[in-house]
C-alpha cells in the first residue's frame, strides 16, 4: 500500500515566478512526484522550456503578470482547459533590489524613491493578494486547496544592516531597502486573514518563511551573512522543497494560518 501522507500526484499546482531560481526547483519537486504544474512568470526562461520538454503532459508555462488581475484570470482559464481546477497555489514571484540596484534604491531610507516602493509592493504584496483572489476563490468554490505564500526572514525581522558594513568600508553608501521587507511582512497577515476567511471552505493558507539561498554572491557578503547565520551557511536551492511538498500535501491537513520558518536559525537569535 503506498503511503499517501505526503503524496502530491493528484495535485494541480500553480507556481508564480517559475522562471526564477526557487520557482524552478519547486516545479521540479512536484513534477518528479507526479503532480501537474502550471508555471507562471513574466519571463519564459530556458528552464521553463526544459520542464515542458521533460514533462510534456504534466507541465505548461503561461506568461503572466501577477500584478494584473486580467492576466491572472487569463491564466486560470488556460489552466482549466489543460489541467482542470487548481488545488495548490505557490505565491513565489517577487522582486527585490539586486546587489547592483541603482544608488538611490540602496541609499538612506530618507531618500528611498517612492516609485520603487510602489513597484515592489505592486508585485510582492498586491500580486499575492490578486493571485489569492483569482485562484483561491476557485479553490473555495471547489472546497479544496492549499495556498503557500512565500515570505522571507526580512518579513519577520528587520534586515541586519551590519551585514553590509563591508560595502560601507569600501566607501559605498548601502542599506538593504525598506520596501521588500515591508512587502514580505504584509504576507504574514494576508495569510492569517485568508486562512480564517476560507477555513470552512476547504482552503488552507500558510506562509513559508525563507532565509537566503546560495547564488554566486559576493564572497564578502557570504562571509558576513554566514557569520550571522547560526548554521554557518546559506541554504541550497533545493532545501525548501520538502517544506512546499509538506504544505501542499495532506501531511499538513490541520495546518492553516501559520508560518513555517526554515531559516538556518536566523530568527532564533
Ligand atoms: N533567493 C533567496 O535568497 C530568497 C530568500 C528569502 C525569500 N525568498 C523569496 O523566494 C521567492 C523566490 O525567490 P528567487 O530567489 O527564486 O527569485 P528570482 O528573482 O530568481 O525569481 C523570481 C521570479 O519572479 C518573476 N516575476 C517578477 N515579477 C513578476 C510579475 N509581476 N509577474 C510574474 N512573475 C514575476 C521573475 O521574472 C522571476 O522569474 C521570492 O518570493 C523571494 O522573495 C528568496
Amino acid at each position: 500500500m503506498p503511503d499517501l501522507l505526503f503524496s502530491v500526484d493528484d495535485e494541480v499546482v500553480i507556481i508564480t515566478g517559475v522562471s526564477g531560481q526557487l520557482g524552478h526547483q519547486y516545479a521540479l519537486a512536484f513534477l518528479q512526484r507526479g503532480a501537474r504544474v502550471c508555471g507562471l512568470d513574466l519571463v519564459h526562461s530556458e528552464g521553463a522550456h526544459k520542464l515542458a520538454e521533460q514533462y510534456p503532459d504534466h507541465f505548461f508555462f503561461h506568461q503572466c503578470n501577477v500584478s494584473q488581475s486580467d492576466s491572472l484570470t487569463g491564466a486560470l482559464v488556460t489552466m482549466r482547459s489543460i489541467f482542470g481546477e487548481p488545488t495548490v497555489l505557490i505565491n513565489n514571484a517577487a522582486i527585490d533590489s539586486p546587489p547592483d540596484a541603482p544608488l538611490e534604491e540602496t541609499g538612506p531610507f530618507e531618500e528611498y524613491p517612492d516609485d520603487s516602493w510602489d513597484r515592489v509592493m505592486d508585485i510582492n504584496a498586491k500580486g499575492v493578494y490578486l493571485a489569492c483572489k483569482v485562484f483561491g476563490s476557485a479553490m473555495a468554490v471547489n472546497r479544496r486547496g492549499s495556498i503557500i505564500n512565500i515570505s522571507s526572514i526580512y518579513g519577520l525581522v528587520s534586515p541586519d544592516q551590519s551585514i553590509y558594513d563591508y560595502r560601507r568600508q569600501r566607501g559605498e553608501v548601502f542599506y538593504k531597502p525598506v520596501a521588500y521587507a515591508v512587502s514580505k511582512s504584509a504576507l504574514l497577515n494576508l495569510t492569517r486573514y485568508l486562512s480564517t476567511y476560507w477555513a470552512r471552505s476547504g482552503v488552507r493558507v500558510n506562509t513559508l518563511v525563507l532565509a537566503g539561498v546560495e547564488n554566486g554572491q559576493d564572497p564578502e557578503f557570504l562571509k558576513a551573512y554566514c557569520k550571522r547565520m547560526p548554521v554557518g551557511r546559506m541554504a541550497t536551492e533545493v532545501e525548501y522543497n520538502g517544506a512546499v511538498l509538506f504544505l501542499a500535501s495532506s501531511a499538513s491537513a490541520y495546518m492553516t494560518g501559520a508560518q513555517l520558518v526554515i531559516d538556518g536559525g536566523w530568527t532564533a537569535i
Side-chain angles (χ1 to χ4, degrees):
M1 217 10 216
D3 182 354
L4 298 179
L5 191 59
F6 289 91
S7 116
V8 291
D9 58 358
D10 200 24
E11 306 297 341
V12 174
V13 184
I14 300 156
I15 302 175
T16 70
V18 76
S19 296
Q21 188 184 15
L22 294 176
H24 182 84
Q25 295 305 326
Y26 299 151
L28 254 184
F30 279 97
L31 290 165
Q32 285 163 349
R33 288 161 181 83
R36 284 162 295 162
V37 176
C38 165
L40 307 182
D41 205 294
L42 282 175
V43 180
H44 197 171
S45 66
E46 192 51 38
H49 278 290
K50 283 203 179 125
L51 289 176
E53 272 167 30
Q54 233 181 321
Y55 298 94
D57 301 328
H58 281 71
F59 178 82
F60 80 92
F61 174 85
H62 185 91
Q63 195 164 28
C64 175
N65 183 347
V66 295
S67 54
Q68 287 177 7
S69 184
D70 289 355
S71 187
L72 290 159
T73 308
L76 177 62
V77 171
T78 308
M79 152 155 220
R80 278 185 166 139
S81 70
I82 299 176
F83 288 156
E85 293 297 320
T87 65
V88 176
L89 167 64
I90 306 182
N91 279 312
N92 165 75
I95 56 168
D96 191 2
S97 295
D100 59 351
L103 279 184
E104 59 277 17
E105 225 174 88
T106 53
F109 167 76
E110 290 82 352
E111 290 161 31
Y112 185 71
D114 297 343
D115 58 345
S116 299
W117 171 275
D118 291 342
R119 195 164 41 86
V120 171
M121 296 304 278
D122 207 39
I123 296 170
N124 296 9
K126 188 178 174 195
V128 176
Y129 149 78
L130 288 175
C132 288
K133 210 167 169 189
V134 170
F135 300 114
S137 303
M139 291 172 178
V141 170
N142 301 325
R143 307 195 69 77
R144 173 182 174 190
S146 172
I147 298 177
I148 304 165
N149 292 327
I150 305 291
S151 184
S152 158
I153 48 173
Y154 289 173
L156 271 189
V157 295
S158 167
D160 182 343
Q161 301 289 0
S162 71
I163 286 174
Y164 307 96
D165 279 348
Y166 74 93
R167 296 187 68 146
R168 292 172 206 121
Q169 280 153 15
R170 287 180 192 162
E172 296 172 44
V173 178
F174 184 91
Y175 296 93
K176 185 78 185 164
V178 61
Y180 178 80
V182 176
S183 71
K184 287 296 176 183
S185 62
L187 301 189
L188 306 177
N189 223 29
L190 177 65
T191 290
R192 293 186 196 104
Y193 181 95
L194 290 176
S195 70
T196 60
Y197 183 76
W198 280 325
R200 298 189 184 200
S201 304
V203 180
R204 299 185 296 110
V205 190
N206 292 290
T207 307
L208 176 58
V209 178
L210 314 180
V213 180
E214 282 169 13
N215 195 9
Q217 286 93 342
D218 178 336
E220 287 201 71
F221 166 81
L222 272 178
K223 199 168 133 202
Y225 192 91
C226 297
K227 191 171 167 212
R228 161 71 176 77
M229 174 62 84
V231 298
R233 65 174 178 86
M234 300 192 86
T236 66
E237 62 187 10
V238 297
E239 284 182 309
Y240 301 121
N241 289 351
V244 289
L245 292 166
F246 166 69
L247 290 170
S249 69
S250 65
S252 61
Y254 199 60
M255 181 171 176
T256 196
Q259 57 220 25
L260 179 55
V261 181
I262 304 201
D263 68 352
W266 186 277
T267 56
I269 296 176

